Each structure stands twice: as structure tokens, then as C-alpha cells.
Amino acid sequence: MSDDHGTIESLSSLAHETPDTYPPSAEFRAQANQNNSEIYLRAAADPEGYWAEQARTRLTWTKPFTEVLDWTNPPFAKWFQDGELNVAANCLDRHVANGLGDRVAIHFEGEPGDSRSITYAELTYEVKRAANMLTSLGVTAGDRVAIYMPMIPETIISMLAVARLGAAHSVVFGGFSAESLRARIDDAEAELVITADGGYRKGRVSPLKPVVDQALELDDADGKPSTVKHVLVVQRGKNDITMESGRDLWWHEEITAYDGEHQAQGFPAENPLFILYTSGTTGRPKGILHTSGGYLTQVTTTHSDVFDLKPESDVWWCTADVGWVTGHSYIVYGPLANGATQVVYEGTPDTPDWGRWWEIIQKYGVTTFYTAPTAIRSFMKVGRQVPEKYDLSSIRLLGSVGEPINPEAWRWYHEVIGASQVPIVDTWWQTETGAIMVAPLPGLTSLKPGSSQIAQPGIAVSVLDESGDKVDRGQGGLLVVERPWPAMVRTIWGDDQRFIDTYWEKFGDKYFAGDGARLDEDGDVWFMGRVDDVMNVSGHRLSTTEIESALVGHHAVAEAAVVGADDETTGQAVVAFVILKSQQQLLTEAEAEAELKKHVASHIGAIARPRNVFVVNELPKTRSGKIMRRLLKDAAEGRTIGDTTTLADTMVMQTISDRVVAER
Ligand code: WT7
């Protein structure tokens, strides 16, 4: 944690209202998957036994495990390591074998209005064919396949086909730039990229294949050419693209050569399942590695218990993109391994208008719905008259993820979407945790708007002070996970040392999550945001350092500092302060703002585009030359500037805050 960011003291003193609580209704409780609080005690008494039982009862193993956890070489955990399973067969074949082949797995809703419903039997068939196709493209166990796709069924089919072969996928969110995509392809040394010509977003086709082309044409980092041999292209947007002969193949042309016969093979529980890149505190994204048996155990368990899943009657909808971990765990692996029926929607919530999501809920009778606070706040802004036009009475449970949900948004969600009666589960977890860690169990927990409340059975979290002691109730500190958990990150791809340094250096054998949290008088956990150089914009993690590096990469920029400032809709927003190379008169201030926003978007991706770029003459620095971002955050949020006495030049902040005020 850097010394110029949010401190524990500031977390403890945050104003905190006494919450009203929402106990589960008698009816909900009676039918809930978990309605006996003894589960917490039972799991705490024997966490390994608890997880072993989940692994055995929820999953199908081709070779049963005898060892539950190997923690002899911390922080490198091995769960169920002598067991073998096929992750894709757990999501597909076994449901078909159990007579559930006719159940709809996916109700796909395209943004332009096309839709198709795919049963478990059909999805199994498609994944088997795709697995055969990938095999003849040379994909075998242990390989990495990059996936750069819109939200369409072929994305899920691709992920499952890769998993079926014992290879690992690296899904790169379709909003990332060519440069970001290339860095991820290089880091994972992927030989195959699966993409689409384009996908629909905001009523237009957003091109993807051209970005792949650009990525593969970029100068090779470290003089090494790209490892990519083939690019497989799904036709979706019908936009004009070029196909490089010998390298690029159309999915719909290739697939016709393959049938649906494919015998899934079991792979060791610790076989890599996927790498997912996430922003860290340095400029270089971290390849979070997840493996098979433990991951699948915890995503199925939490998907079933936290969302009270009834696979035979529920219609699940998680609005995330599969490019993020939420999509991996609660669109692909958890729901499919649990045999759920779900909605997958391609586009944005405001296309063609802000009624789109509610119309989809009405159309498919969605029962359980999982989204992010930033989306809820956008809908609040538009007004309740929009959702009120639709029949949302099928909804029986709501979920939230991505950032702390402010009590006001919680209450609106409860009242307007949940008819003032359905439970809301606020789920805290991370790319690294793989699955939900802290969340209510809806049949047991009296809900408090704004709190994730309680660790899942079999999980132990604590809030510690800087010296590693547990804080008292009513106090704030740093969140840690006490023991290894099945879905935990296994390492940072190719960088064990960074894995150790990032998460385990601070508190030894306890996992340091990077989040501030506060315990209330009942011991419930209230998350307070990141304590490191990571911002949370619309529930997406962005690194201040990565954006700063992009900015100083621009020829007109001499220095840059980036902060995450509070934003009414997106939670935090990227606010940049830059010093231009003045002598050169390269850009006027007005040009600079537009140009630099564009520059960041094209280098990292549109999600990283700064809300504001302020051109300043000076940045606040300590006498040792460290930029004091905390003061810039004060200015960006319109607060009185904090203590400036350690600054080398105490007048700097006055000038900067005048500049920010002028802009407002
Ligand atoms: C960071 C992880 C987990 C999937 C989405 C984001 C923040 C996430 C909550 C929540 C408070 C939350 C944390 C965490 N976060 N959910 N319910 N309450 N904060 O995954 O990109 O890995 O980001 O998101 O700060 O560390 P991610």
C-alpha cells in the first residue's frame, strides 16, 4: 500500500448510518437452499471437510480425490490434487446423461433483437464439435487460447471447448485495445485467437477482428514475434473484414467438417482452466491463474447457495460480460455446472432504450438477477417510470457485485425492481478469489443495505490493522482471507514472485485482498473500496499507474498523475492531471483534453478513458519527489485540500484546485 493513498484511519472515521435490516420472509426461508444456520458452524469446524463434501456431491469426478488440500508450500495451494475431472463435461454431458438434455441452457438475446434458445443437448453437441475443430487446429491440454469476442453463444461454446481439451482460455474483454490484447496474447503465449468479425453495442456493430489484426501487426515486444498461428473468426456483425490466408479461418466454414462425437477426458484437478488478466498497482496487468476442481467446486456451491438456485424452475440472469471474472464464474461455469437456465444478452442496457433489460426480464420470466451498482445508479437517474412499465413479478432474488452498493441504490433496487420484498445479496469477491467470498445467505441473513455482511461457509475473513492484529467491532482496517479456499488464484501466470509479493508479503500466510473494510457492532463486514493504486470504475478495475504510463507515452506529455475520484454513476471516475511539454507548444490546453482522453482509450480501452484531463503546470510532490495523489483526489472531488505541509511547493495545490473549480 502506498503512503499517499486512503489510510486505515480515514476508513474508520467514515460516516456510517445505523442500518435498517431486512430479515428473510418466512416463505423465502422455508424454501431456501440454506435455511439452517448450523452450516456456518459445521463448515468452520472442518472447512476442508465442508469443501470436500461440496466437491463430491456437486461435481462428477472421473477419478475421485483422496487428498483435499495441500498447503505444504504456501502460498501455492493444491485442492483435490489427486482427483481428475473434465470441467466441460460437468457443465454439459452429465446433464444430458441425467435426462436434462431438453432443458434450455441459454436464452440468447442479441442486441438487434434476434434471439435463440439453446438446450443442454444442443450446447453439448456444439461444444463437442468445436472441441474437434480446435483439436485439428492443434489445441491440446496445457495450451492457451485467447478469446476476444462479443457476448454471443459461441463465446461460451469456445470457452467450454477449450476447457474440454484441458487447455486454458484467456478471455480478453472486447472493449480492450489492440495493444492490451497483444500484451495478453504475448504473456500467455497463445497460439490460437478466437474472435468475431464484430458484435453489437449501442445499436452499431463494434468491430473486433480488425483489432485482432492490428494487435498481431504491432511491433513485437522483446523482439519476439507473436505466437499466434491461427485466428478463428465467428460471423456476427457481418462488417467488412480482411482474412489473412493461411492464418485466418471462418468458424462457420470450418465447423461443418466436424461431428458431435467427442469423448471428454478427465484432467487433474489442478490443471489450468483459465488465465484472466486484471489491473494491478503497476502498469503491467496480472495474469490470474485459475485451475479446475477447486474453482468449479466453489463457483457451483456459491451459485447455488447465495442465489438460492432452483435449476428446474429458475431463470438466471447475470448481466456481466464474459470478459470479466463475473461472467466466467456466474455465466459460464457456476450456472452451467449447476444445470441452470439463463439469459445471455449481447448488448447495452440502453439499446434501443432504457427499458431493454426489464423487457428481457418480462420476456423470459427471469427469477434471479445479478448486476452491478453502477447499472442500478444509471437506472435511478433515468427514473423508476421505465422499469415500472414492465412486469417484473417473476423476480424472487436480486444480486449486486463489483463495488460497494450505496444504501440509496440498494433501497431503489429493492423497492423498484424487487417489489419491496425480494432479498438482495451483495456479493464481495475478486478476480483472484474466483468465486463469492463474503455475501449474505438469503434464507438466513437479515440484510443490511450497503453491507456484504458475512463470509461464506468454509471461508474465514478478518479485518486487520497495519500491524496484523484484528480490529475491534466498530473499527476499520484491511480485509484478509485467513485460509486457502478452493477457487483461489494459484499464481500470477509466469510470475510466482509477483504473486507472493502482491498478496502474501503483507500478512504472511493470510491473503491480503487490497480492500479496506469496516466491522460493525454485529461483526458484519462493510467494504470501503481499494486501499492501493487500483480504481474501481463501473465495477471494473483500472490501475492508476497503467493509465499514467499511457499518458506519458503521448509525445506532448511531460508528466501525469491519475486518481480515481468519486462519481455519482460509475462509482469512481478516472481523473488525470498532466503537465505538457510546454516549450514545444504541441497542443493547446483545449486540444490536450480531447486528445489525451482519446489516447488513453486507444491504448488501453474505452473503459479507461478519463472523465477529466486537467492540464497543470506543476504536480504536488513531496520533498523526495513522490506525487501526492491523495491531494489531487481531494481537488478532483471538490474537497478542501488536506495537509500540504509535506509538499516541496505548498502553493501548487491552490493553483490546481483553482483549475479544477474553474472547470466545474
Ligand atoms: C474488486 C475486485 C468480483 C467481480 C467483479 C470485480 C471490488 C467487488 C464488491 C462488493 C465492495 C466490491 C473490491 C474488489 N468489489 N465486489 N460487493 N462490495 N467492493 O472483480 O475486477 O477483480 O475487482 O472489486 O474492491 O477488490 P475485480
Side-chain angles (χ1 to χ4, degrees), residues 59-280:
L59 305 184
T60 303
W61 297 79
T62 53
K63 176 174 175 253
F65 58 88
T66 60
E67 189 186 6
V68 179
L69 170 66
D70 176 355
W71 189 236
T72 53
N73 180 29
F76 302 97
K78 292 186 172 129
W79 282 87
F80 317 123
Q81 65 165 319
D82 63 341
E84 292 181 1
L85 78 172
N86 186 288
V87 171
N90 269 277
C91 295
L92 301 165
D93 311 44
R94 65 166 175 160
H95 302 317
V96 178
N98 289 339
L100 305 175
D102 291 339
R103 180 183 291 170
V104 171
I106 296 172
H107 289 296
F108 171 69
E109 182 81 11
E111 198 189 75
D114 56 321
S115 62
R116 58 180 164 134
S117 293
I118 305 169
T119 64
Y120 273 94
E122 289 163 346
L123 191 63
T124 304
Y125 172 77
E126 294 300 338
V127 170
K128 287 179 172 181
R129 288 176 89 193
N132 287 328
M133 172 169 64
L134 297 189
T135 300
S136 47
L137 287 173
V139 176
T140 58
D143 289 353
R144 276 85 49 207
V145 175
I147 297 179
Y148 186 69
M149 290 279 271
M151 277 287 287
I152 56 176
E154 285 79 4
T155 312
I156 297 170
I157 292 168
S158 300
M159 292 165 75
L160 291 168
V162 170
R164 191 174 184 93
L165 299 174
H169 52 72
S170 164
V171 181
V172 180
F173 173 61
F176 276 117
S177 67
E179 211 175 292
S180 300
L181 172 61
R182 175 61 184 268
R184 286 156 174 77
I185 290 172
D186 286 352
D187 188 74
E189 299 176 292
E191 295 188 0
L192 174 68
V193 180
I194 306 178
T195 189
D197 47 2
Y200 289 89
R201 282 192 71 76
K202 294 195 180 286
R204 288 184 299 123
V205 172
S206 154
L208 291 164
K209 170 65 165 59
V211 183
V212 175
D213 293 338
Q214 224 185 316
L216 298 181
E217 279 155 21
L218 285 172
D219 284 347
D220 306 323
D222 313 330
K224 274 189 286 179
S226 149
T227 43
V228 172
K229 297 198 179 108
H230 288 293
V231 179
L232 193 54
V233 187
V234 175
Q235 190 171 51
R236 170 66 184 158
K238 304 234 164 91
N239 44 316
D240 264 347
I241 60 165
T242 51
M243 297 289 279
E244 189 180 301
S245 99
R247 187 193 71 184
D248 301 347
L249 304 161
W250 281 109
W251 174 297
H252 64 274
E253 288 175 1
E254 291 303 305
I255 196 79
T256 56
Y258 304 96
D259 64 17
E261 293 301 315
H262 185 273
Q263 193 58 46
Q265 185 194 327
F267 293 99
E270 285 296 339
N271 194 48
L273 177 61
F274 65 85
I275 303 169
L276 189 58
Y277 288 84
T278 186
S279 296

Side-chain angles (χ1 to χ4, degrees), residues 191-517:
E191 295 188 0
L192 174 68
V193 180
I194 306 178
T195 189
D197 47 2
Y200 289 89
R201 282 192 71 76
K202 294 195 180 286
R204 288 184 299 123
V205 172
S206 154
L208 291 164
K209 170 65 165 59
V211 183
V212 175
D213 293 338
Q214 224 185 316
L216 298 181
E217 279 155 21
L218 285 172
D219 284 347
D220 306 323
D222 313 330
K224 274 189 286 179
S226 149
T227 43
V228 172
K229 297 198 179 108
H230 288 293
V231 179
L232 193 54
V233 187
V234 175
Q235 190 171 51
R236 170 66 184 158
K238 304 234 164 91
N239 44 316
D240 264 347
I241 60 165
T242 51
M243 297 289 279
E244 189 180 301
S245 99
R247 187 193 71 184
D248 301 347
L249 304 161
W250 281 109
W251 174 297
H252 64 274
E253 288 175 1
E254 291 303 305
I255 196 79
T256 56
Y258 304 96
D259 64 17
E261 293 301 315
H262 185 273
Q263 193 58 46
Q265 185 194 327
F267 293 99
E270 285 296 339
N271 194 48
L273 177 61
F274 65 85
I275 303 169
L276 189 58
Y277 288 84
T278 186
S279 296
T281 53
T282 72
R284 211 161 46 88
K286 304 178 282 197
I288 300 300
L289 176 69
H290 283 288
T291 59
S292 305
Y295 172 80
L296 201 61
T297 298
Q298 197 179 335
V299 295
T300 50
T301 305
T302 50
H303 181 246
S304 175
D305 288 353
V306 176
F307 303 112
D308 193 46
L309 178 75
K310 307 287 191 281
E312 61 290 344
S313 54
D314 272 329
V315 179
W316 166 250
W317 185 15
C318 164
T319 66
D321 190 287
V322 282
W324 309 107
V325 75
T326 309
H328 283 60
S329 300
Y330 299 106
I331 294 176
V332 183
Y333 294 109
L336 295 177
N338 282 335
T341 294
Q342 70 178 314
V343 167
V344 170
Y345 170 56
E346 178 184 28
T348 53
D350 54 346
T351 308
D353 57 60
W354 283 98
R356 188 64 186 270
W357 278 12
W358 318 120
E359 188 192 349
I360 292 173
I361 290 178
Q362 175 179 284
K363 174 172 174 185
Y364 294 105
V366 169
T367 58
T368 44
F369 180 69
Y370 191 31
T371 195
T374 183
I376 298 165
R377 289 191 300 265
S378 298
F379 284 111
M380 287 171 74
K381 256 196 190 160
V382 176
R384 63 169 67 206
Q385 73 283 355
V386 177
E388 278 172 359
K389 277 191 256 172
Y390 299 89
D391 178 5
L392 306 180
S393 61
S394 54
I395 293 178
R396 66 179 195 91
L397 179 137
L398 297 168
S400 174
V401 63
E403 58 174 310
I405 180 166
N406 46 313
E408 195 196 353
W410 196 102
R411 291 199 187 89
W412 189 92
Y413 197 28
H414 188 246
E415 197 180 314
V416 181
I417 310 303
S420 298
Q421 52 184 356
V422 316
I424 298 178
V425 288
D426 173 21
T427 62
W428 178 90
W429 56 296
Q430 309 176 297
T431 306
E432 292 88 338
T433 70
I436 293 169
M437 301 293 278
V438 182
L441 286 177
L444 290 170
T445 314
S446 280
L447 305 168
K448 293 178 185 170
S451 172
S452 304
Q453 296 188 286
I454 177 165
Q456 284 301 291
I459 301 293
V461 301
S462 299
V463 180
L464 306 182
D465 62 22
E466 279 287 349
S467 53
D469 295 323
K470 289 190 185 180
V471 303
D472 293 333
R473 291 185 175 192
Q475 297 299 305
L478 304 170
L479 189 100
V480 298
V481 185
E482 292 277 348
R483 283 190 306 262
W485 63 100
M488 72 190 277
V489 47
R490 295 304 196 262
T491 190
I492 292 175
W493 182 255
D495 201 346
D496 287 349
Q497 192 56 46
R498 189 174 179 198
F499 175 61
I500 296 170
D501 295 345
T502 309
Y503 308 106
W504 307 92
E505 198 68 343
K506 200 170 174 69
F507 296 117
D509 60 349
K510 294 177 173 133
Y511 170 87
F512 170 55
D515 276 52

Side-chain angles (χ1 to χ4, degrees), residues 29-76:
R29 184 172 185 138
Q31 61 80 60
N33 291 353
Q34 294 301 344
N35 54 15
N36 184 340
S37 58
E38 259 172 36
I39 184 153
Y40 290 111
L41 301 174
R42 199 160 58 78
D46 179 13
E48 289 182 34
Y50 170 78
W51 288 117
E53 183 189 322
Q54 306 310 312
R56 289 194 181 103
T57 55
R58 295 182 189 274
L59 305 184
T60 303
W61 297 79
T62 53
K63 176 174 175 253
F65 58 88
T66 60
E67 189 186 6
V68 179
L69 170 66
D70 176 355
W71 189 236
T72 53
N73 180 29
F76 302 97

